[in-house]
Amino acid sequence: MPVFLYNTMSRSLEAFEPLHDKEVGLYTCGPTVYNYAHIGNLRTFLFEDLLKRTLLVSGFKVNHVMNITDVGHLTGDGDEGEDKIEKMASQTHRSVWEIAQFYTDAFFKDYDALNMIRPSIVCKATDHIQQMIDLIKRLEESGHTYVSGGNVYFSIDSIPDYGKLARLDLDSLKTAVRDDVSSDANKRNPKDFVLWFTKSKHGEQAMMWDSPWGKGFPGWHIECSAMSMHYLGESFDIHCGGIDAIPVHHTNEIAQSEAATGKQWVKYWMHGEFLLDETGKMSKSKGEFLTLDLLKRKGYDAMDYRYYCLGGHYRSQLKFSFKALDTARKARRNVVERIQGLLKDGAKVVSLKSEKALHYKETFLEHLQHDLGSPKGLADLWGVLKDEELDGDEKYSLIMFFDQVFGLDLASVELPKEESFPPEAIALLEKRVQAKKEKNWPLADALRSELDAMGYLVKDTPTGSSLEKKM
């Protein structure tokens, strides 16, 4: 079945046809490694992992390139403010190199905890300065740049279609994304952007390199263009990121890339929507923000958050609350318990043969291949789990197939180990069982509360009552 993806450039759903048969070139904007990733950042990476998994299960080979921005991204989304890594280094009395490495490692710890498939290539900006310089020289030779105040700028007036991704009205466009950032007096047009900064702009920085225009460092936007083209070629299939990258970062990437090559740079643009907290878009600039590690310290599993994100479509805003995360945790645990029940009955992976099982598989693929419809895919999962007409082997086999896309690590589910409980807890449980037989509900509730205070959950099932340690 064909895969359909929503292309931000056309604002429409399109049948996915890669440039090279079954080979997909995928570029995703990676983290700026000056702080921990918050769970809103991680939602974008989870959507990109869902895309990659859907493509893989659909028979494509995916060459996934992701950058690490370890230099050049300023506190403003454009060309203004401080270097984020320099700022953190100053605040913590560490070197910029230590900051970048520490937060790169922290990012991939979260990435792995969420069971995301690592990119084929992870490229650091600091390892590709020459590629950036070469691309800027190419733009300079074709008349798209100018030098002012020591810095190299891209002239948006040198191309006819600047802003086409965001469909910008250039006459009304603000000169900067943030109101507290002033425009650059060196620019001929306030929408122009920096390709190369020199010390005339920021003074001496810890990260600076020699260039034809003076010692300095690259602008943020040139990094992705240079590295994506280095690894994927001058035209490739899919570029992803959060929707906040559309009006500035991705707009400027397109301008400089297509000005340099004279051809379409990216065929499909895909963007994930925001994760919202009670104050709106989740952002590091607010100070306190939620991290995956914080969720773990509160007793949640990384897979609880992954399940939670699967419950919302990637192009829809998702409002985070701990109540919603509790619901996702309970649902995921129920999935695990049902799988354990199947394993207890000896379920194993088999080839699907029944018409019903094959229909479930086809429907699931149709939902995921229609612009990554993960909420409908979860509904398919529950349909399989609750279907009493499917035998255990086919149920288990379908679940394992679904999880190639979901990435919930369900193949690692094992039969629960026998747990030992203290005699006093067992005695309370037995008293509660007796109270329920006698329909003494107040006593049964009181005993449940007493066990809860001791750190044990009471699980009532049709086959009896049991204890479980609270997480």
Side-chain angles (χ1 to χ4, degrees), residues 126-145:
T126 50
D127 291 337
H128 297 80
I129 300 299
Q130 189 57 54
Q131 284 85 354
M132 298 173 208
I133 290 173
D134 290 344
L135 183 55
I136 297 169
K137 287 168 67 176
R138 193 172 171 184
L139 288 165
E140 185 178 55
E141 290 166 1
S142 54
H144 295 287
T145 71

Side-chain angles (χ1 to χ4, degrees), residues 169-184:
D169 178 354
L170 296 186
D171 292 330
S172 61
L173 184 67
K174 288 185 177 181
T175 60
V177 172
R178 289 169 45 158
D179 293 334
D180 60 336
V181 175
S182 59
S183 61
D184 184 344

Side-chain angles (χ1 to χ4, degrees), residues 8 25 41 100 111 115 122 137-138 151 154 165 167 268 323 358 366 395 441:
T8 307
N41 301 139
Y111 203 90
N115 198 32
V122 176
K137 287 168 67 176
R138 193 172 171 184
N151 306 306
F154 181 90
L165 178 69
R167 301 188 177 181
Y268 302 90
K323 183 178 180 181
L358 291 169
E366 182 180 325
K395 276 191 178 185
W441 308 122

Side-chain angles (χ1 to χ4, degrees), residues 429 432-433 436 448 458-467:
L429 180 66
R432 184 175 180 278
V433 170
K436 287 182 66 181
R448 177 194 283 274
V458 178
K459 298 185 66 180
D460 294 320
T461 68
T463 58
S465 298
S466 61
L467 294 177

Side-chain angles (χ1 to χ4, degrees), residues 260-310:
T261 67
K263 56 189 175 184
Q264 184 184 37
W265 180 44
V266 172
K267 192 172 181 183
Y268 302 90
W269 287 89
M270 297 183 68
H271 294 90
E273 255 289 1
F274 291 136
L275 181 73
L276 307 178
D277 61 17
E278 66 277 4
T279 63
K281 173 195 168 187
M282 196 165 291
S283 170
K284 294 187 181 76
S285 63
K286 296 178 182 178
E288 292 294 325
F289 55 89
L290 293 173
T291 63
L292 186 65
D293 190 57
L294 176 61
L295 299 187
K296 290 179 181 177
R297 294 201 304 271
K298 286 182 175 289
Y300 299 95
D301 190 280
M303 292 299 98
D304 296 332
Y305 182 63
R306 183 167 185 128
Y307 188 101
Y308 167 74
C309 289
L310 288 168

Side-chain angles (χ1 to χ4, degrees), residues 34-35 83-94 99 103:
Y34 71 101
N35 207 332
D83 183 291
K84 293 182 177 182
I85 297 175
E86 290 265 359
K87 183 178 180 180
M88 181 60 79
S90 175
Q91 290 174 347
T92 58
H93 307 291
R94 288 181 286 178
I99 290 292
Y103 288 112

